[in-house]
Amino acid sequence: MIIKTKKSLFTIPIILFSILIIVFYLPTLVFSAALPPELPKNKVDITFPVISGKVIKVKKDCTGIGDCNTSLQQAIDNANLGDEIVIDSNMTIKGPITLKNKTNGSGWIVIRSSESSNLPAEVRVSPSQSIYMPKIISPGSGMDTLLTEDKAHHYRLVGIEIVDSSDDTNVLVELGTRESLCGVSGNFYKVCDTSVLSNFAHDIILDRMYIHGLSNLNVKRGVGLDSINSAVINSYISDIHLVGADSQAISGIYGPGPYKISNNYLEGAGENLMFGGDDPRVTNLIPSDIEFIGNYVYKPRSWKVDDSSYQGIHWSVKNLFELKNALRVFVSGNIFDGNWADGQSGHAIVFTVRNQEGNCPWCAVGDVTFISNIVRHASTGVTITGHDDHSPNNPGTSRIKISNNLWDDINGPLWGGAGRFVLLDSGSAAPGPSNIEITHNTVFETGAVLYSSGASIKPNLVFSDNVVNNGSYGVKGDDAAEGNGTLNTFFPGAIFSKNVLIGGEEKRYSSYSGNYFPSSISSVLDLGNFNILSTSQYHNDSTDGKDIGADMNVVNSLTAESISGKKKVTNEYDSSIVIYPSPYTTPYQLPVQPTIEPVVYLTPYSTPITVYVTPAITMSFPLIRTLFLGLKGSDVTWLQNFLIQRNFLNSKYNTGYFGILTRAGVRKYQCSKNIVCRGTEDSTGYGIVGKLTREAIRNESGF
């Protein structure tokens, strides 16, 4: 079922090319504040359907059992709308399995495990729960494992494991198709008119699914989301990787939307999630009305060739989240974790419009709201490209809002790449990305705060109310001076105010008043929770009267269950919840969030803990060597847990890497113990765990 506003199912996602040109390619003679993005207009209803028909069992042996099949495909072929297919959890079924178009009956067909009661509703599944799931294995020979025929509709799959079993699997679950839509053979890139949308699969929900490859096998894609009005929720998608080519946990290319992707674990080497990447086969089609909420998006360090955990196969690694052709995208409450320079430069979040094969002059990226997420352990934070070099007249990239996010450990030296927070790239075409609003972010990066690449201007930029490390260059552009030179050259008329640039030089930004340039992070943030210190001048001093930087209470609330998956997937926006209505744009709204219990965070380097327990006296003291910025190891993890227990470090950062936040926690501890409270690492040992600091920690921890 689709929740509509005014337009019909098949016309809503199709954006007329002429309208796109007007909206995205506005004349830029007058520069002003960024135009706000639109929120999704249509949403997928994920309410569990009522079963009105019969129950069909799928068993190894159906002797003496009515409405029973030994073949899952036969059960699907025999089912009508309203029926429920229950598969014995101990069955292993070889694909391909095809979801068929049904015209008899009404309602949904539910296909579920016989043990689905052990998989709680609205809670993400984990690999350990595969004992409750029937298994569908890939057929090999480059074939998809679970797929849809044209017009298949109203299927909900619950509690099924779908696994790769060969080294040449294409897609594990393919919802929709690009082939045979126009009835013309011999033209792979034939573009159809919108009448073919009536052939698309629609109303399909994957719920509590375990979809995965194997650690040593190639598989291109976990889910191909190319249908209409579909969702992936409460699921676990892992080990999706290829050598020398792109792979995605979820990819949407050929369908118009709407889509909901919520409360999932997503693991993919190329891009964990991507929309676009090939040309759609329908005129003016852009995947639209996309909700991406409460997911844990992760790349295992065992895929990184220079990591100690590397498993020996060099999968092609690119990005965590990429949009090449998408409109009205809402991204909130997610944790994006781990991205490094490999197949590309390690950009975590990428908005880069692409007319991939030259048949999509209407392709665009726009109306993206990226709010209240955590992005960490990556080479670069976000990259936004204005136009496709190969299709300079396409609508481009516009109306992007990036607000109230934490960007942690955006670190060039550690993860490769430039270590930038934001890269705005115009390519060789004009203009660059437009109507970009970047507000209320808290950022720990080593490179430039904002870098402008390409000669073109980037109109209507708002960059305000952010807490950032000035990094290597601050605000910088190609062949332009830092600060005033770059802003005046590439962002004429930009709003750049109420930012805290730690370590920056005020004189470089003299044309833009109202910004701050403290020398130390300790005077800005509470290093226990990363909120602005209530005693600082930045408290309630933003352009909207709130604290500068991210409101970490909101960020932590919305991401609290993104790793564990114990979160109800909500369905609607609540107009009563408004976070940071910008003084330059209209307010935007967040989805309803449930009451969230206190959470224990799980990092990829540790197991869940509720309280750090100091090791017994009989154990050896773990801090033997001097610890300082840039080191990694179990002793660093031990130190971080010691600091967390005493509120000198946020509980999410027992990562095993000694970064700037760990150094800040060490300095806070040193001051509290009167060991040292000023200077630098070299001059006084401030921020280094040397002999005196180790002895203080030893005595306090009972060794």
Side-chain angles (χ1 to χ4, degrees), residues 136-170:
I136 303 175
I137 61 174
S138 63
S141 302
M143 299 173 67
D144 301 338
T145 305
L146 177 74
L147 61 156
T148 58
E149 72 173 5
D150 284 358
K151 301 184 181 181
H153 62 99
H154 289 96
Y155 283 89
R156 188 173 187 129
L157 282 70
V158 182
I160 300 171
E161 179 181 3
I162 300 179
V163 58
D164 185 21
S165 64
S166 66
D167 202 35
D168 61 350
T169 296
N170 187 29

PDB file of all heavy atoms in Angstrom, residues 136-170:
ATOM      1  N   ILE A 136      17.899 -20.059   1.305  1.00  0.00           N
ATOM      2  CA  ILE A 136      17.870 -20.123  -0.155  1.00  0.00           C
ATOM      3  C   ILE A 136      19.282 -19.825  -0.648  1.00  0.00           C
ATOM      4  O   ILE A 136      19.834 -18.766  -0.346  1.00  0.00           O
ATOM      5  CB  ILE A 136      16.874 -19.119  -0.755  1.00  0.00           C
ATOM      6  CG1 ILE A 136      15.466 -19.343  -0.187  1.00  0.00           C
ATOM      7  CG2 ILE A 136      16.851 -19.239  -2.269  1.00  0.00           C
ATOM      8  CD1 ILE A 136      14.445 -18.319  -0.647  1.00  0.00           C
ATOM      9  N   ILE A 137      19.876 -20.774  -1.381  1.00  0.00           N
ATOM     10  CA  ILE A 137      21.257 -20.605  -1.826  1.00  0.00           C
ATOM     11  C   ILE A 137      21.283 -20.240  -3.309  1.00  0.00           C
ATOM     12  O   ILE A 137      20.395 -20.596  -4.076  1.00  0.00           O
ATOM     13  CB  ILE A 137      22.101 -21.866  -1.557  1.00  0.00           C
ATOM     14  CG1 ILE A 137      21.543 -23.077  -2.316  1.00  0.00           C
ATOM     15  CG2 ILE A 137      22.160 -22.157  -0.070  1.00  0.00           C
ATOM     16  CD1 ILE A 137      22.418 -24.315  -2.203  1.00  0.00           C
ATOM     17  N   SER A 138      22.317 -19.511  -3.698  1.00  0.00           N
ATOM     18  CA  SER A 138      22.412 -19.013  -5.069  1.00  0.00           C
ATOM     19  C   SER A 138      22.597 -20.167  -6.052  1.00  0.00           C
ATOM     20  O   SER A 138      23.220 -21.186  -5.733  1.00  0.00           O
ATOM     21  CB  SER A 138      23.575 -18.028  -5.189  1.00  0.00           C
ATOM     22  OG  SER A 138      24.804 -18.685  -4.913  1.00  0.00           O
ATOM     23  N   PRO A 139      22.080 -20.010  -7.269  1.00  0.00           N
ATOM     24  CA  PRO A 139      22.164 -21.093  -8.260  1.00  0.00           C
ATOM     25  C   PRO A 139      23.480 -21.139  -9.020  1.00  0.00           C
ATOM     26  O   PRO A 139      23.752 -22.102  -9.734  1.00  0.00           O
ATOM     27  CB  PRO A 139      21.006 -20.781  -9.205  1.00  0.00           C
ATOM     28  CG  PRO A 139      20.868 -19.291  -9.145  1.00  0.00           C
ATOM     29  CD  PRO A 139      21.218 -18.908  -7.728  1.00  0.00           C
ATOM     30  N   GLY A 140      24.296 -20.062  -8.924  1.00  0.00           N
ATOM     31  CA  GLY A 140      25.525 -19.999  -9.704  1.00  0.00           C
ATOM     32  C   GLY A 140      25.262 -19.565 -11.130  1.00  0.00           C
ATOM     33  O   GLY A 140      24.163 -19.117 -11.495  1.00  0.00           O
ATOM     34  N   SER A 141      26.301 -19.664 -11.960  1.00  0.00           N
ATOM     35  CA  SER A 141      26.212 -19.326 -13.393  1.00  0.00           C
ATOM     36  C   SER A 141      25.786 -17.884 -13.621  1.00  0.00           C
ATOM     37  O   SER A 141      25.129 -17.563 -14.622  1.00  0.00           O
ATOM     38  CB  SER A 141      25.239 -20.279 -14.110  1.00  0.00           C
ATOM     39  OG  SER A 141      25.662 -21.616 -13.957  1.00  0.00           O
ATOM     40  N   GLY A 142      26.114 -16.987 -12.685  1.00  0.00           N
ATOM     41  CA  GLY A 142      25.791 -15.574 -12.840  1.00  0.00           C
ATOM     42  C   GLY A 142      24.332 -15.237 -12.660  1.00  0.00           C
ATOM     43  O   GLY A 142      23.912 -14.116 -12.962  1.00  0.00           O
ATOM     44  N   MET A 143      23.540 -16.181 -12.141  1.00  0.00           N
ATOM     45  CA  MET A 143      22.098 -15.960 -12.006  1.00  0.00           C
ATOM     46  C   MET A 143      21.772 -15.312 -10.661  1.00  0.00           C
ATOM     47  O   MET A 143      22.494 -15.469  -9.676  1.00  0.00           O
ATOM     48  CB  MET A 143      21.360 -17.294 -12.130  1.00  0.00           C
ATOM     49  CG  MET A 143      21.564 -17.993 -13.461  1.00  0.00           C
ATOM     50  SD  MET A 143      20.833 -19.644 -13.476  1.00  0.00           S
ATOM     51  CE  MET A 143      19.086 -19.227 -13.384  1.00  0.00           C
ATOM     52  N   ASP A 144      20.647 -14.567 -10.635  1.00  0.00           N
ATOM     53  CA  ASP A 144      20.139 -14.025  -9.387  1.00  0.00           C
ATOM     54  C   ASP A 144      19.490 -15.145  -8.573  1.00  0.00           C
ATOM     55  O   ASP A 144      19.047 -16.163  -9.124  1.00  0.00           O
ATOM     56  CB  ASP A 144      19.120 -12.926  -9.666  1.00  0.00           C
ATOM     57  CG  ASP A 144      19.697 -11.775 -10.477  1.00  0.00           C
ATOM     58  OD1 ASP A 144      20.930 -11.617 -10.468  1.00  0.00           O
ATOM     59  OD2 ASP A 144      18.919 -11.051 -11.127  1.00  0.00           O
ATOM     60  N   THR A 145      19.402 -14.930  -7.257  1.00  0.00           N
ATOM     61  CA  THR A 145      18.896 -15.987  -6.376  1.00  0.00           C
ATOM     62  C   THR A 145      17.398 -15.860  -6.138  1.00  0.00           C
ATOM     63  O   THR A 145      16.654 -16.827  -6.248  1.00  0.00           O
ATOM     64  CB  THR A 145      19.652 -15.962  -5.040  1.00  0.00           C
ATOM     65  OG1 THR A 145      21.057 -16.051  -5.304  1.00  0.00           O
ATOM     66  CG2 THR A 145      19.232 -17.115  -4.142  1.00  0.00           C
ATOM     67  N   LEU A 146      16.924 -14.656  -5.794  1.00  0.00           N
ATOM     68  CA  LEU A 146      15.496 -14.386  -5.629  1.00  0.00           C
ATOM     69  C   LEU A 146      15.161 -13.207  -6.520  1.00  0.00           C
ATOM     70  O   LEU A 146      15.830 -12.174  -6.453  1.00  0.00           O
ATOM     71  CB  LEU A 146      15.167 -14.064  -4.172  1.00  0.00           C
ATOM     72  CG  LEU A 146      13.709 -13.695  -3.883  1.00  0.00           C
ATOM     73  CD1 LEU A 146      12.825 -14.939  -3.926  1.00  0.00           C
ATOM     74  CD2 LEU A 146      13.575 -13.018  -2.526  1.00  0.00           C
ATOM     75  N   LEU A 147      14.138 -13.342  -7.356  1.00  0.00           N
ATOM     76  CA  LEU A 147      13.829 -12.281  -8.302  1.00  0.00           C
ATOM     77  C   LEU A 147      12.316 -12.187  -8.509  1.00  0.00           C
ATOM     78  O   LEU A 147      11.548 -13.009  -8.001  1.00  0.00           O
ATOM     79  CB  LEU A 147      14.537 -12.509  -9.633  1.00  0.00           C
ATOM     80  CG  LEU A 147      14.214 -13.782 -10.419  1.00  0.00           C
ATOM     81  CD1 LEU A 147      14.515 -13.567 -11.910  1.00  0.00           C
ATOM     82  CD2 LEU A 147      15.066 -14.952  -9.916  1.00  0.00           C
ATOM     83  N   THR A 148      11.918 -11.183  -9.248  1.00  0.00           N
ATOM     84  CA  THR A 148      10.495 -10.951  -9.515  1.00  0.00           C
ATOM     85  C   THR A 148      10.234 -11.033 -11.008  1.00  0.00           C
ATOM     86  O   THR A 148      11.073 -10.630 -11.825  1.00  0.00           O
ATOM     87  CB  THR A 148      10.062  -9.561  -9.021  1.00  0.00           C
ATOM     88  OG1 THR A 148      10.865  -8.564  -9.671  1.00  0.00           O
ATOM     89  CG2 THR A 148      10.220  -9.427  -7.523  1.00  0.00           C
ATOM     90  N   GLU A 149       9.062 -11.528 -11.373  1.00  0.00           N
ATOM     91  CA  GLU A 149       8.644 -11.383 -12.755  1.00  0.00           C
ATOM     92  C   GLU A 149       7.918 -10.042 -12.893  1.00  0.00           C
ATOM     93  O   GLU A 149       7.563  -9.398 -11.895  1.00  0.00           O
ATOM     94  CB  GLU A 149       7.746 -12.540 -13.184  1.00  0.00           C
ATOM     95  CG  GLU A 149       6.355 -12.544 -12.611  1.00  0.00           C
ATOM     96  CD  GLU A 149       5.488 -13.645 -13.222  1.00  0.00           C
ATOM     97  OE1 GLU A 149       5.995 -14.451 -14.022  1.00  0.00           O
ATOM     98  OE2 GLU A 149       4.283 -13.688 -12.888  1.00  0.00           O
ATOM     99  N   ASP A 150       7.720  -9.596 -14.106  1.00  0.00           N
ATOM    100  CA  ASP A 150       7.020  -8.336 -14.334  1.00  0.00           C
ATOM    101  C   ASP A 150       5.650  -8.358 -13.648  1.00  0.00           C
ATOM    102  O   ASP A 150       4.938  -9.365 -13.655  1.00  0.00           O
ATOM    103  CB  ASP A 150       6.834  -8.090 -15.828  1.00  0.00           C
ATOM    104  CG  ASP A 150       8.113  -7.637 -16.504  1.00  0.00           C
ATOM    105  OD1 ASP A 150       9.123  -7.474 -15.793  1.00  0.00           O
ATOM    106  OD2 ASP A 150       8.109  -7.474 -17.742  1.00  0.00           O
ATOM    107  N   LYS A 151       5.294  -7.248 -13.050  1.00  0.00           N
ATOM    108  CA  LYS A 151       4.002  -7.010 -12.401  1.00  0.00           C
ATOM    109  C   LYS A 151       3.817  -7.774 -11.091  1.00  0.00           C
ATOM    110  O   LYS A 151       2.741  -7.685 -10.479  1.00  0.00           O
ATOM    111  CB  LYS A 151       2.839  -7.317 -13.347  1.00  0.00           C
ATOM    112  CG  LYS A 151       2.844  -6.504 -14.632  1.00  0.00           C
ATOM    113  CD  LYS A 151       1.620  -6.795 -15.484  1.00  0.00           C
ATOM    114  CE  LYS A 151       1.649  -5.992 -16.779  1.00  0.00           C
ATOM    115  NZ  LYS A 151       0.461  -6.247 -17.612  1.00  0.00           N
ATOM    116  N   ALA A 152       4.825  -8.505 -10.627  1.00  0.00           N
ATOM    117  CA  ALA A 152       4.703  -9.158  -9.317  1.00  0.00           C
ATOM    118  C   ALA A 152       4.473  -8.088  -8.260  1.00  0.00           C
ATOM    119  O   ALA A 152       5.085  -7.013  -8.293  1.00  0.00           O
ATOM    120  CB  ALA A 152       5.960  -9.958  -9.012  1.00  0.00           C
ATOM    121  N   HIS A 153       3.620  -8.367  -7.283  1.00  0.00           N
ATOM    122  CA  HIS A 153       3.259  -7.316  -6.340  1.00  0.00           C
ATOM    123  C   HIS A 153       2.734  -7.893  -5.031  1.00  0.00           C
ATOM    124  O   HIS A 153       2.266  -9.028  -4.965  1.00  0.00           O
ATOM    125  CB  HIS A 153       2.205  -6.388  -6.956  1.00  0.00           C
ATOM    126  CG  HIS A 153       0.908  -7.074  -7.290  1.00  0.00           C
ATOM    127  ND1 HIS A 153      -0.196  -7.021  -6.476  1.00  0.00           N
ATOM    128  CD2 HIS A 153       0.548  -7.831  -8.354  1.00  0.00           C
ATOM    129  CE1 HIS A 153      -1.189  -7.703  -7.025  1.00  0.00           C
ATOM    130  NE2 HIS A 153      -0.766  -8.209  -8.173  1.00  0.00           N
ATOM    131  N   HIS A 154       2.841  -7.075  -3.998  1.00  0.00           N
ATOM    132  CA  HIS A 154       2.301  -7.355  -2.669  1.00  0.00           C
ATOM    133  C   HIS A 154       2.837  -8.667  -2.088  1.00  0.00           C
ATOM    134  O   HIS A 154       2.095  -9.586  -1.771  1.00  0.00           O
ATOM    135  CB  HIS A 154       0.765  -7.338  -2.688  1.00  0.00           C
ATOM    136  CG  HIS A 154       0.196  -5.961  -2.865  1.00  0.00           C
ATOM    137  ND1 HIS A 154      -0.179  -5.489  -4.102  1.00  0.00           N
ATOM    138  CD2 HIS A 154      -0.019  -4.960  -1.982  1.00  0.00           C
ATOM    139  CE1 HIS A 154      -0.618  -4.244  -3.980  1.00  0.00           C
ATOM    140  NE2 HIS A 154      -0.526  -3.893  -2.693  1.00  0.00           N
ATOM    141  N   TYR A 155       4.166  -8.678  -1.960  1.00  0.00           N
ATOM    142  CA  TYR A 155       4.843  -9.762  -1.266  1.00  0.00           C
ATOM    143  C   TYR A 155       5.579  -9.193  -0.055  1.00  0.00           C
ATOM    144  O   TYR A 155       6.230  -8.145  -0.153  1.00  0.00           O
ATOM    145  CB  TYR A 155       5.866 -10.454  -2.170  1.00  0.00           C
ATOM    146  CG  TYR A 155       5.289 -11.398  -3.188  1.00  0.00           C
ATOM    147  CD1 TYR A 155       4.915 -10.952  -4.451  1.00  0.00           C
ATOM    148  CD2 TYR A 155       5.149 -12.756  -2.898  1.00  0.00           C
ATOM    149  CE1 TYR A 155       4.403 -11.826  -5.401  1.00  0.00           C
ATOM    150  CE2 TYR A 155       4.636 -13.642  -3.842  1.00  0.00           C
ATOM    151  CZ  TYR A 155       4.266 -13.171  -5.088  1.00  0.00           C
ATOM    152  OH  TYR A 155       3.759 -14.041  -6.017  1.00  0.00           O
ATOM    153  N   ARG A 156       5.502  -9.907   1.059  1.00  0.00           N
ATOM    154  CA  ARG A 156       6.316  -9.577   2.235  1.00  0.00           C
ATOM    155  C   ARG A 156       7.065 -10.842   2.647  1.00  0.00           C
ATOM    156  O   ARG A 156       6.455 -11.860   2.958  1.00  0.00           O
ATOM    157  CB  ARG A 156       5.475  -9.065   3.387  1.00  0.00           C
ATOM    158  CG  ARG A 156       6.332  -8.532   4.553  1.00  0.00           C
ATOM    159  CD  ARG A 156       5.457  -7.884   5.601  1.00  0.00           C
ATOM    160  NE  ARG A 156       6.228  -7.228   6.653  1.00  0.00           N
ATOM    161  CZ  ARG A 156       6.046  -5.976   7.049  1.00  0.00           C
ATOM    162  NH1 ARG A 156       5.116  -5.228   6.472  1.00  0.00           N
ATOM    163  NH2 ARG A 156       6.761  -5.464   8.020  1.00  0.00           N
ATOM    164  N   LEU A 157       8.403 -10.765   2.632  1.00  0.00           N
ATOM    165  CA  LEU A 157       9.252 -11.885   3.010  1.00  0.00           C
ATOM    166  C   LEU A 157       9.813 -11.632   4.401  1.00  0.00           C
ATOM    167  O   LEU A 157      10.344 -10.535   4.672  1.00  0.00           O
ATOM    168  CB  LEU A 157      10.386 -12.069   2.006  1.00  0.00           C
ATOM    169  CG  LEU A 157      10.018 -12.761   0.680  1.00  0.00           C
ATOM    170  CD1 LEU A 157       9.148 -11.858  -0.186  1.00  0.00           C
ATOM    171  CD2 LEU A 157      11.264 -13.171  -0.078  1.00  0.00           C
ATOM    172  N   VAL A 158       9.713 -12.639   5.269  1.00  0.00           N
ATOM    173  CA  VAL A 158      10.079 -12.466   6.684  1.00  0.00           C
ATOM    174  C   VAL A 158      10.941 -13.635   7.141  1.00  0.00           C
ATOM    175  O   VAL A 158      10.537 -14.801   7.020  1.00  0.00           O
ATOM    176  CB  VAL A 158       8.827 -12.381   7.572  1.00  0.00           C
ATOM    177  CG1 VAL A 158       9.224 -12.160   9.032  1.00  0.00           C
ATOM    178  CG2 VAL A 158       7.882 -11.281   7.110  1.00  0.00           C
ATOM    179  N   GLY A 159      12.142 -13.327   7.676  1.00  0.00           N
ATOM    180  CA  GLY A 159      12.940 -14.330   8.363  1.00  0.00           C
ATOM    181  C   GLY A 159      13.501 -15.407   7.468  1.00  0.00           C
ATOM    182  O   GLY A 159      13.448 -16.594   7.814  1.00  0.00           O
ATOM    183  N   ILE A 160      14.086 -15.037   6.339  1.00  0.00           N
ATOM    184  CA  ILE A 160      14.671 -15.996   5.402  1.00  0.00           C
ATOM    185  C   ILE A 160      16.134 -15.628   5.172  1.00  0.00           C
ATOM    186  O   ILE A 160      16.476 -14.456   5.016  1.00  0.00           O
ATOM    187  CB  ILE A 160      13.903 -15.996   4.072  1.00  0.00           C
ATOM    188  CG1 ILE A 160      12.429 -16.377   4.304  1.00  0.00           C
ATOM    189  CG2 ILE A 160      14.542 -16.955   3.072  1.00  0.00           C
ATOM    190  CD1 ILE A 160      11.540 -16.187   3.095  1.00  0.00           C
ATOM    191  N   GLU A 161      16.990 -16.633   5.157  1.00  0.00           N
ATOM    192  CA  GLU A 161      18.401 -16.439   4.835  1.00  0.00           C
ATOM    193  C   GLU A 161      18.607 -16.676   3.344  1.00  0.00           C
ATOM    194  O   GLU A 161      18.162 -17.693   2.804  1.00  0.00           O
ATOM    195  CB  GLU A 161      19.276 -17.398   5.644  1.00  0.00           C
ATOM    196  CG  GLU A 161      20.765 -17.269   5.343  1.00  0.00           C
ATOM    197  CD  GLU A 161      21.630 -18.241   6.129  1.00  0.00           C
ATOM    198  OE1 GLU A 161      21.064 -19.063   6.889  1.00  0.00           O
ATOM    199  OE2 GLU A 161      22.867 -18.189   5.978  1.00  0.00           O
ATOM    200  N   ILE A 162      19.274 -15.740   2.686  1.00  0.00           N
ATOM    201  CA  ILE A 162      19.605 -15.876   1.271  1.00  0.00           C
ATOM    202  C   ILE A 162      21.116 -15.720   1.157  1.00  0.00           C
ATOM    203  O   ILE A 162      21.668 -14.681   1.533  1.00  0.00           O
ATOM    204  CB  ILE A 162      18.858 -14.847   0.416  1.00  0.00           C
ATOM    205  CG1 ILE A 162      17.344 -15.038   0.579  1.00  0.00           C
ATOM    206  CG2 ILE A 162      19.268 -14.964  -1.046  1.00  0.00           C
ATOM    207  CD1 ILE A 162      16.497 -14.070  -0.201  1.00  0.00           C
ATOM    208  N   VAL A 163      21.788 -16.755   0.633  1.00  0.00           N
ATOM    209  CA  VAL A 163      23.247 -16.796   0.741  1.00  0.00           C
ATOM    210  C   VAL A 163      23.887 -17.166  -0.592  1.00  0.00           C
ATOM    211  O   VAL A 163      23.354 -17.975  -1.357  1.00  0.00           O
ATOM    212  CB  VAL A 163      23.668 -17.798   1.850  1.00  0.00           C
ATOM    213  CG1 VAL A 163      23.137 -19.190   1.570  1.00  0.00           C
ATOM    214  CG2 VAL A 163      25.181 -17.822   2.022  1.00  0.00           C
ATOM    215  N   ASP A 164      25.031 -16.561  -0.851  1.00  0.00           N
ATOM    216  CA  ASP A 164      25.834 -16.889  -2.021  1.00  0.00           C
ATOM    217  C   ASP A 164      26.512 -18.246  -1.803  1.00  0.00           C
ATOM    218  O   ASP A 164      26.954 -18.563  -0.699  1.00  0.00           O
ATOM    219  CB  ASP A 164      26.891 -15.797  -2.209  1.00  0.00           C
ATOM    220  CG  ASP A 164      27.693 -15.975  -3.466  1.00  0.00           C
ATOM    221  OD1 ASP A 164      27.214 -16.667  -4.382  1.00  0.00           O
ATOM    222  OD2 ASP A 164      28.805 -15.424  -3.550  1.00  0.00           O
ATOM    223  N   SER A 165      26.590 -19.005  -2.878  1.00  0.00           N
ATOM    224  CA  SER A 165      27.251 -20.307  -2.766  1.00  0.00           C
ATOM    225  C   SER A 165      28.242 -20.546  -3.897  1.00  0.00           C
ATOM    226  O   SER A 165      28.818 -21.625  -4.000  1.00  0.00           O
ATOM    227  CB  SER A 165      26.205 -21.437  -2.763  1.00  0.00           C
ATOM    228  OG  SER A 165      25.505 -21.472  -4.000  1.00  0.00           O
ATOM    229  N   SER A 166      28.419 -19.557  -4.767  1.00  0.00           N
ATOM    230  CA  SER A 166      29.356 -19.701  -5.880  1.00  0.00           C
ATOM    231  C   SER A 166      30.094 -18.386  -6.062  1.00  0.00           C
ATOM    232  O   SER A 166      29.755 -17.374  -5.455  1.00  0.00           O
ATOM    233  CB  SER A 166      28.607 -20.070  -7.167  1.00  0.00           C
ATOM    234  OG  SER A 166      27.770 -19.000  -7.570  1.00  0.00           O
ATOM    235  N   ASP A 167      31.118 -18.409  -6.905  1.00  0.00           N
ATOM    236  CA  ASP A 167      31.958 -17.224  -7.051  1.00  0.00           C
ATOM    237  C   ASP A 167      31.526 -16.338  -8.207  1.00  0.00           C
ATOM    238  O   ASP A 167      32.253 -15.434  -8.595  1.00  0.00           O
ATOM    239  CB  ASP A 167      33.419 -17.656  -7.254  1.00  0.00           C
ATOM    240  CG  ASP A 167      34.401 -16.556  -6.879  1.00  0.00           C
ATOM    241  OD1 ASP A 167      34.110 -15.803  -5.924  1.00  0.00           O
ATOM    242  OD2 ASP A 167      35.456 -16.445  -7.534  1.00  0.00           O
ATOM    243  N   ASP A 168      30.337 -16.581  -8.755  1.00  0.00           N
ATOM    244  CA  ASP A 168      29.899 -15.787  -9.906  1.00  0.00           C
ATOM    245  C   ASP A 168      28.459 -15.312  -9.746  1.00  0.00           C
ATOM    246  O   ASP A 168      27.751 -15.127 -10.732  1.00  0.00           O
ATOM    247  CB  ASP A 168      30.057 -16.585 -11.199  1.00  0.00           C
ATOM    248  CG  ASP A 168      29.220 -17.861 -11.216  1.00  0.00           C
ATOM    249  OD1 ASP A 168      28.666 -18.210 -10.159  1.00  0.00           O
ATOM    250  OD2 ASP A 168      29.130 -18.494 -12.280  1.00  0.00           O
ATOM    251  N   THR A 169      28.025 -15.102  -8.500  1.00  0.00           N
ATOM    252  CA  THR A 169      26.657 -14.644  -8.275  1.00  0.00           C
ATOM    253  C   THR A 169      26.527 -13.180  -8.679  1.00  0.00           C
ATOM    254  O   THR A 169      27.396 -12.364  -8.367  1.00  0.00           O
ATOM    255  CB  THR A 169      26.266 -14.823  -6.803  1.00  0.00           C
ATOM    256  OG1 THR A 169      26.265 -16.219  -6.503  1.00  0.00           O
ATOM    257  CG2 THR A 169      24.880 -14.264  -6.527  1.00  0.00           C
ATOM    258  N   ASN A 170      25.446 -12.835  -9.328  1.00  0.00           N
ATOM    259  CA  ASN A 170      25.199 -11.459  -9.731  1.00  0.00           C
ATOM    260  C   ASN A 170      24.513 -10.696  -8.602  1.00  0.00           C
ATOM    261  O   ASN A 170      25.138  -9.919  -7.892  1.00  0.00           O
ATOM    262  CB  ASN A 170      24.362 -11.429 -11.008  1.00  0.00           C
ATOM    263  CG  ASN A 170      24.218 -10.047 -11.582  1.00  0.00           C
ATOM    264  OD1 ASN A 170      25.094  -9.213 -11.401  1.00  0.00           O
ATOM    265  ND2 ASN A 170      23.128  -9.791 -12.271  1.00  0.00           N
TER     266      ASN A 170
END
